Every structure is written in C-alpha cells, then in structure tokens.
Amino acid sequence: MRTTPALDITSLHSFYQQGGSIFEIIEAVFARISEVNDPGIFLHLADKKALLVEAEKLGGYDPAKPLFGVPFAVKDNIDVAGMPTTAGCPDYTYHPDKDATVVRLLKEAGALVIGKTNLDQFATGLVGVRSPYPIPRNAIDPTLVPGGSSSGSAVATAHGIVSFALGTDTAGSGRIPAGLNNIVGLKPSVGALSSTGVVPACRTLDCVSIFSLTVDDAWRVFSVAAQQDETDAYSKDLPAKGYGSSPPVLKIGVPAPQDRKFFGDEAMAVAYSDALKTLEEHGHHIVEMPFADFYDVANLLYEGAWVAERYAAVQSFFDTKGESFHPVTREIYRGAKSLTAAETFNGFYALQALKKKLAPTIASVDLLCVPTAPRHYTLAELAAEPIRENSRLGTYTNFVNLLDMCGITVPTGKRPDGLPASVTLLAPSGKDGLTATVARALHGASGLPLGATMRPEPAATAAPEPEVEAGSELIDLVVVGAHLSGMPLNHQLKELNAVFKRTARTQGCYRLYALSGTTPAKPGMVRVGEGEGGEIEVEVWALAPAAFGTFVASIPAPLGIGTVTLADGTTAKGFLAEPIALVGASDITTWGGWRGYTVGNTNV
C-alpha cells in the first residue's frame, strides 16, 4: 500500500512523480480533516466530488505547473468562486462570481482549493477568537490562543491538512498565528500580491500572506502569486526575486536588551536569545539598536487614521447592522466614528516623522530579527484581558506594514515546556528574497518537525539559484577585502544595488598582502606563477553595467580591476593590486583570505 506523503510541496511532487494520484491526496486531505476534528478551522469546505472532477481535469503530473495538485486553504475574507465569503460575519455573507486575483493565479498553477478558513472577524485581531463560529484550536496546545486574525489558515497548515494556506496581514495576522503554531508565515512587501477580491481591513496596508510548512514552499507560492494587477490600485511591480543566496555575513538589527518585551515569559526571552546565537553561528553580526521608535510606530496602528480606515472599509454595513459584529470588534469600529479628518491627518504626519527618524537605523543593517510574539497566552488569560493581551501580541508586528517592510516568520526551536519558538525577519520593501533565504537556514538548523504533524522537514536540497530579473545583463565582480560582506566598504556595493552571487576561491596562482597605511585596512591581491601562490577566498557580486562603471571609477590607486581566475576555471573582473602597493605590505596568503586574516589577527 502506497504511503501518503507529507504535504510539503517537495514531498507531494515527489509522490506525483513516482505515480501517485491526486485522488489519493484529496482522500487523504478529507481523512485528515476528520482525524483532526476541529470544527473551528473551516467555515466552508469544497465539495469532494467537485474537487475530484477538478483534479481529473489536471491530468497526469505536469512539472510546468509549479503547484500541480497542491491542496490549499483560503482565509474567508478572500474570494473563491463558488464559495461564500463571510469575513467571519454571517450577516455580511456574499457569493462572489469570480476568484480573487491571487486565488486565480494559484489555481492556474495547478493548486486546488480545499475550503475557506475561520478568522478574527473582519481581520481585526491577533488572537484568533473574535469569531461567532467555533474557535480554531491551537495546533500545538489547545489551551493556548491560536493567533489571528488568520487563525483557521494557520491551524489547517500546521496540522498538515493542506500544503499551504492564504491569510491576510495588516498588523501581524500572517505572522502571529504562524509563530504560535510552529509554521512559516511569509508576509510579502505591501502591494506584491494583489488585493483584488479581498475584503479590506486597512486598504493602504493590507497584504495577502502565505502559511506553509517550509520556507521553500512559501517562496514557491509567492513566486506564482507575485504579479502586478492592474485591477488593484495598490498593486506594485514587486516580482519574487533574490531567494537562494545571501551574503555570508549580514548585519542583523535586534532590539537592545532593555527594549525587549516578553511580559513575563522568560522561556520566550531565552528562545529568542538562542535564535540570535544561531544567527551568529551562521556568521552574521548582531547589532543591538534602540526600539522605542518602532514601538511608537506600532502604537499608531490602533489610533486615529488606521482605525478610521478599518471603519471606512465596512462603513455602510456597520452603520446599518452594527449588532452583527462581534462585541470586541464592534467596540473598535464604534470608536472610529467619532474621529475627525484632522485627527486622521495628524496620524499621517506622526507616521511620516517617525519614518524619517527611523530610516537611518533601518538602513544601517541588512535586516531585522525580532521575536514573532512576545509570549504565548492561554485562552483563560485572554478572556481575562481581551484587549490588552491582543495588543501585546502585536508588539513586534504592528509597525511593519506602516514602515513598508516585508517579513517572514520562521520556527527556530522548541521551548523546555514544548511550546514553539520563532522569530520574524524583516527588511525594506522588495527584500523578500533576502529574508526568506536567511529564514531557510534558520529553519533548517532548528531540527523541528513540520507544524504539528511530527513529520521531519524534507531532506535538505541545494539552495535555489538566486533569481535575476529578466533582461538584466549584470557584470560579475570578484571582491577580496574591505568590500566583502560584513566589511567596512561593503555598503558601497549595496548602495549600487549589487547582487551577491556566491563565495568562491581563486586558482592557486595569487598571493594576498595586507597593505600598509590604508584606512580602512585593505588587502592587495597579485597574480604570480602557477604553484607560487595559494587559493584566496573571495566573493562574487554582480552589478548593472552603469553601476559597475561608477564603482570602478571610485577605486583608488594602487588598486585596480583586472581579470581574476577562479578555482572552477571561470573568470570575472575583480580587484588586483599594482606592484607598488606591496611596498611595506605583509604577505598574508597563508591565512587563505582577508576574512580569515582579520578574524584571526587581533591587530587588524
């Protein structure tokens, strides 16, 4: 008897390649729904017979469809043709005649919608319990809140009912439930995924998010869905790119110890510190920074302008059927009715001032790493303090969309009490690939099972090749010293939008010298005869032709650009030194490279 695979996409497609049937998977999905037996997850299920017909139309395994035969769930504020949309409010129900843009794209790639999932009503909340329907149970510990607002989507994914699920994220709804259920939650750059066919919360901030069992799966879904949509006024041209490779040394900003908030959950604080140690073990530099201004941005989300925006999204319905709202949600929306236009503009002004103030801080690092949630809350704790605990869950999430950042939540370990720990990696808009690449390494190091399934992560595969935009003609550049990632002049490459491609070694015909009297300290590499040198560790970056010209023009003598031969026989333009540079220099070839020398030599 054939064993049903785990539903991560790698395992699923391997199953199909070996002759497995989509019909077997659909039967397994519905069996899993019965086994989990959580009536709070789905608000509407697809008809199994109709799904089998849809699967039959797909035919045999087609690798041209990147999501062939992949079952997924959709948060019930996102339209699926043939299924009702409720936004968690029965009286709001309507029946769309076409799919939301993002759902259409995923279906066209071969994915199959299993059903619509529960949520905090109108996507207002981070707890997952503000629903008139049964509450989804946290997949790891049913005494805990599941997280919201995308509660059903996260729980369905964590249980392995579906391969992935769509959520939405305005204040953290695509990250908090991922962190609380031991799965990956990708929150794209605002505008990367179309919001056409999505019931808005805060129209200017909303993102469709992706829950998955692995980072590779999240990225595969993102790659399909990230297409500009002319029907969405807030859609942007932000294609999926940059996944698969990151510089070996990154500057990663974290809250300074005095600014970290865990509200008494010491286990979560320790887990976060452990995650930072893992990043350091991977070679990255941790940069502690004040976080008070980030928290000030976060506080704006539930004040003035953006509460008014939530009200504006459903104004006519609220004004005529306010009694249909969940009591907590109703209070939030009711407060917006008394806000003035002046208060709204004052909120915009406050945000702009904080953005300008924070810009240098954000630019000083490659990305941020924050706890996903400051702590776990039990359902009893939430019932005692429903507003306060919801607010605290958003400590590290509420500021992100306001600052136009992308992010990805990734499991990092298991606490001593067995509860999941996770972090969220954040970066400026368009850097989705960088955050996902680092998240992939963190997830791989965790050794955790997939969600609540107890199945191991699939065997590690080679990192995908980093994507390069179609039509681009980048020029490779071999860097040797102060321009290496994490070194003092690396920023010059980043300011020219250089793309890191790989680490490499030269052929054994180069010698490396520590030059005399340079600030910052620099090496010089010279070519010598075969057998007279050594293999030198280098990095290969790539620049657009105009940026390459700008960069080369800035290089001071006695350094210059020549042709460097790498150990694999390829050649590229790279840093070489003129012979005069070696006057007073020290031969450091035996160190194997500038990084090895600077790390091992405390006098540098």
Side-chain angles (χ1 to χ4, degrees):
M1 183 176 179
R2 191 192 307 275
T3 301
T4 303
L7 288 193
D8 64 276
I9 298 174
T10 297
S11 299
L12 190 59
H13 277 183
S14 177
F15 172 77
Y16 290 147
Q17 288 169 345
Q18 294 169 20
S21 164
I22 299 181
F23 307 119
E24 293 177 70
I25 295 303
I26 291 174
E27 292 291 346
V29 165
F30 280 87
R32 184 67 174 149
I33 292 171
S34 296
E35 179 186 349
V36 171
N37 190 28
D38 182 349
I41 296 176
F42 288 99
L43 299 185
H44 182 87
L45 277 173
D47 177 75
K48 186 160 70 170
K49 289 183 179 179
L51 263 181
L52 293 172
V53 171
E54 193 175 343
E56 189 172 14
K57 291 178 181 177
L58 283 174
Y61 176 64
D62 182 0
K65 290 185 178 293
L67 299 177
F68 177 89
V70 176
F72 75 109
V74 179
K75 185 177 180 178
D76 197 25
N77 61 344
I78 303 173
D79 289 345
V80 176
M83 297 185 184
T85 299
T86 74
C89 180
D91 287 347
Y92 184 78
T93 302
Y94 64 91
H95 298 268
D97 58 5
K98 62 180 179 180
D99 295 322
T101 298
V102 64
V103 172
R104 173 180 60 78
L105 291 170
L106 298 173
K107 283 183 173 181
E108 289 173 354
L112 300 166
V113 178
I114 299 301
K116 302 291 290 295
T117 56
N118 206 347
L119 67 155
D120 282 314
Q121 191 177 74
F122 292 107
T124 301
L126 293 173
V127 286
V129 306
R130 296 175 179 174
S131 172
Y133 302 101
I135 304 306
R137 297 190 292 267
N138 183 294
I140 308 300
D141 182 344
T143 68
L144 302 176
V145 299
S149 61
S150 311
S151 50
S153 288
V155 173
T157 304
H159 278 304
I161 294 171
V162 291
S163 299
F164 71 92
L166 297 182
T168 58
D169 189 305
T170 303
S173 298
R175 291 162 280 157
I176 292 296
L180 300 187
N181 289 277
N182 193 45
I183 58 173
V184 173
L186 189 155
K187 188 216 78 70
S189 298
V190 177
L193 270 58
S194 171
S195 289
T196 292
V198 179
V199 178
C202 291
R203 185 72 184 85
T204 59
L205 303 178
D206 293 340
C207 300
V208 174
S209 66
I210 301 162
F211 296 101
S212 63
L213 295 167
T214 70
V215 177
D216 280 351
D217 285 1
W219 191 261
R220 190 179 308 207
V221 175
F222 179 57
S223 297
V224 169
Q227 297 188 33
Q228 191 168 18
D229 181 5
E230 293 304 319
T231 69
D232 176 6
Y234 288 94
S235 178
K236 300 175 184 175
D237 184 17
L238 290 170
K241 62 180 181 179
Y243 181 55
S245 183
S246 71
V249 179
L250 294 168
K251 292 181 180 178
I252 300 179
V254 304
Q258 67 272 17
D259 287 342
R260 296 175 191 175
K261 299 181 180 183
F262 295 98
F263 305 106
D265 192 336
E266 184 58 29
M268 200 70 101
V270 171
Y272 177 60
S273 295
D274 289 344
L276 298 186
K277 290 176 186 174
T278 301
L279 288 170
E280 288 183 308
E281 290 167 359
H282 289 178
H284 304 306
H285 295 163
I286 300 300
V287 181
E288 295 177 351
M289 53 180 52
F291 240 65
D293 290 331
F294 288 96
Y295 297 142
D296 286 344
V297 172
N299 291 337
L300 291 173
L301 192 61
Y302 287 104
E303 299 173 2
W306 294 276
V307 180
E309 189 173 18
R310 287 180 183 271
Y311 167 61
V314 291
Q315 181 178 0
S316 60
F317 180 72
F318 183 85
D319 288 348
T320 56
K321 292 196 173 182
E323 72 282 356
S324 299
F325 280 63
H326 185 279
V328 177
T329 311
R330 182 165 59 243
E331 283 304 305
I332 293 169
Y333 282 64
R334 180 181 290 158
K337 294 187 70 170
S338 61
L339 293 169
T340 66
E343 288 174 297
T344 297
F345 277 103
N346 284 336
F348 293 152
Y349 302 152
L351 174 60
Q352 190 62 29
L354 284 166
K355 279 184 174 180
K356 186 171 184 178
K357 186 177 181 182
L358 279 168
T361 300
I362 294 171
S364 70
V365 294
D366 295 296
L367 50 83
L368 302 179
C369 176
V370 298
T372 300
R375 60 165 297 164
H376 288 281
Y377 284 107
T378 66
L379 293 166
E381 287 171 329
L382 180 69
E385 292 283 356
I387 301 297
R388 187 188 72 179
E389 312 308 37
N390 182 88
S391 177
R392 286 179 171 180
L393 276 176
T395 299
Y396 300 105
T397 60
N398 286 348
F399 61 82
V400 175
N401 286 356
L402 287 167
L403 292 176
D404 198 15
M405 303 182 82
C406 61
I408 185 168
T409 290
V410 62
T412 56
K414 187 182 290 186
R415 302 168 8 149
D417 57 8
L419 298 182
S422 77
V423 297
T424 298
L425 302 167
L426 305 169
S429 177
K431 298 290 186 180
D432 306 77
L434 176 64
T435 57
T437 302
V438 178
R440 186 182 195 265
L442 271 177
H443 200 199
S446 73
L448 290 168
L450 298 176
T453 68
M454 301 311 295
R455 292 186 185 251
E457 191 172 0
T461 57
E465 287 292 320
E467 301 91 342
V468 177
E469 291 182 68
S472 61
E473 297 179 359
L474 303 184
I475 300 173
D476 284 354
L477 174 70
V478 175
V479 299
V480 178
H483 288 91
L484 294 168
S485 60
M487 295 292 179
L489 299 183
N490 183 248
H491 68 92
Q492 294 179 351
L493 290 172
K494 292 176 180 175
E495 288 163 1
L496 291 169
N497 296 316
V499 176
F500 173 80
K501 295 186 69 174
R502 60 191 173 105
T503 56
R505 302 192 75 83
T506 68
Q507 281 193 346
C509 54
Y510 293 90
R511 299 201 72 82
L512 190 68
Y513 295 83
L515 303 182
S516 175
T518 58
T519 304
K522 300 182 185 72
M525 188 171 73
V526 295
R527 182 160 189 156
V528 293
E530 291 292 335
E532 297 178 5
E535 292 187 357
I536 307 301
E537 183 179 352
V538 296
E539 292 178 2
V540 182
W541 292 69
L543 298 98
F548 183 85
T550 299
F551 182 78
V552 170
S554 70
I555 297 171
L559 299 178
I561 296 294
T563 299
V564 176
T565 304
L566 301 177
D568 62 5
T570 61
T571 61
K573 298 303 178 184
F575 277 89
L576 292 172
E578 299 175 20
I580 194 172
L582 306 185
V583 176
S586 302
D587 191 327
I588 59 171
T589 306
T590 56
W591 287 92
W594 185 243
R595 195 184 304 283
Y597 173 70
T598 56
V599 170
N601 191 329
T602 56
N603 293 322
V604 179

